[in-house]
Amino acid sequence: NAGVTQTPKFQVLKTGQSMTLQCAQDMNHNSMYWYRQDPGMGLRLIYYSASEGTTDKGEVPNGYNVSRLNKREFSLRLESAAPSQTSVYFCASSPQTYEQYFGPGTRLTVT
Amino acid sequence: EDQVTQSPEALRLQEGESSSLNCSYTVSGLRGLFWYRQDPGKGPEFLFTLYSAGEEKEKERLKATLTKKESFLHITAPKPEDSATYLCAGRGNMLTFGGGTRLMVKP
């Protein structure tokens, strides 16, 4: 039981490049989330998916898109990366009792 | 707007010196108050959920309590391995996180 897995662990992009962050969970959870964590800002919700086939914006969705590929997988796409998107990105999943289980994170630097 | 505030931002303790971390919240229709532990370079690890005022949960040296406005994470006789950042979060429509308390326990 791997829990929540994320790939890649580290990534460096140049301004304007695109990339997709991958997330998968094996706990049969309905809900999945993408957060970013920045010093002094805490964890902020980018997008979430309450169930397979649905996605909704969170607090900071600008510059991002998501796809809930199936119940296990939820990807985050940066279409044209900007230095302001330098951050640590966490994926999480939750059962109906709301506690969230987090992946190990992706450390993204945009130069 | 939901808000969660943690204090202090950083706390240094000697091994064995008990203390408490505070989490003040204003969350509309609270559906749970959550505590997480985060080690450097890792994702947050779920510790506790509290649902109603007066509720308490314990795990080893940690005990979480909840009132109508605050939650406390009590650490009894901490050890160096308890050093981490502790996050609390309140669930209304979504989960709102506080900024965390960085705990350092010296031997």
Side-chain angles (χ1 to χ4, degrees):
Chain A
N1 191 342
V4 179
T5 57
Q6 292 182 237
T7 56
K9 286 187 168 56
F10 301 93
Q11 184 71 47
V12 178
L13 292 178
K14 293 184 178 180
T15 297
Q17 288 185 319
S18 62
M19 78 162 295
T20 299
L21 281 64
Q22 306 286 353
C23 173
Q25 53 95 5
D26 63 2
M27 295 176 283
N28 200 36
H29 291 163
N30 283 326
S31 301
M32 297 185 74
Y33 309 82
W34 276 105
Y35 290 89
R36 60 178 290 173
Q37 187 174 40
D38 303 289
M41 301 294 290
L43 278 158
R44 293 181 292 169
L45 182 66
I46 304 171
Y47 269 95
Y48 67 100
S49 171
S51 61
E52 187 178 354
T54 69
T55 60
D56 285 288
K57 295 178 180 179
E59 181 184 355
V60 288
N62 291 344
Y64 305 95
N65 283 301
V66 290
S67 295
R68 184 75 183 266
L69 304 170
N70 48 54
K71 191 170 185 178
R72 290 187 64 248
E73 298 172 289
F74 188 36
S75 63
L76 178 72
R77 183 161 177 83
L78 286 69
E79 291 291 351
S80 179
S84 61
Q85 294 178 305
T86 293
S87 188
V88 182
Y89 291 86
F90 290 102
C91 177
S93 69
S94 71
Q96 290 184 335
T97 44
Y98 301 133
E99 70 273 16
Q100 295 184 11
Y101 297 88
F102 286 79
T106 294
R107 282 142 191 85
L108 175 66
T109 301
V110 183
T111 61
Chain B
E1 183 182 338
D2 295 342
Q3 285 194 326
V4 177
T5 304
Q6 293 187 245
S7 61
E9 288 187 10
L11 180 62
R12 293 182 178 181
L13 299 175
Q14 288 295 130
E15 184 173 1
E17 180 186 3
S18 302
S19 188
S20 295
L21 282 56
N22 177 267
C23 172
S24 298
Y25 65 90
T26 306
V27 175
S28 180
L30 185 75
R31 287 184 267 178
L33 190 292
F34 303 86
W35 282 96
Y36 290 85
R37 170 188 170 130
Q38 186 174 23
D39 292 300
K42 297 191 175 182
E45 175 190 350
F46 170 69
L47 292 173
F48 303 110
T49 309
L50 301 165
Y51 290 106
S52 57
E55 190 175 358
E56 298 183 352
K57 293 272 180 77
E58 285 189 69
K59 181 180 180 179
E60 296 181 358
R61 294 175 293 282
L62 301 177
K63 183 169 81 172
T65 61
L66 183 66
T67 73
K68 289 186 177 180
K69 295 183 178 181
E70 295 175 302
S71 180
F72 295 93
L73 185 65
H74 308 279
I75 303 176
T76 301
K79 297 182 177 182
E81 54 262 41
D82 295 320
S83 297
T85 295
Y86 291 86
L87 303 170
C88 77
R91 169 84 189 205
N93 288 327
M94 293 306 305
L95 202 58
T96 300
F97 280 86
T101 293
R102 190 160 67 98
L103 174 66
M104 294 155 281
V105 182
K106 293 193 172 184

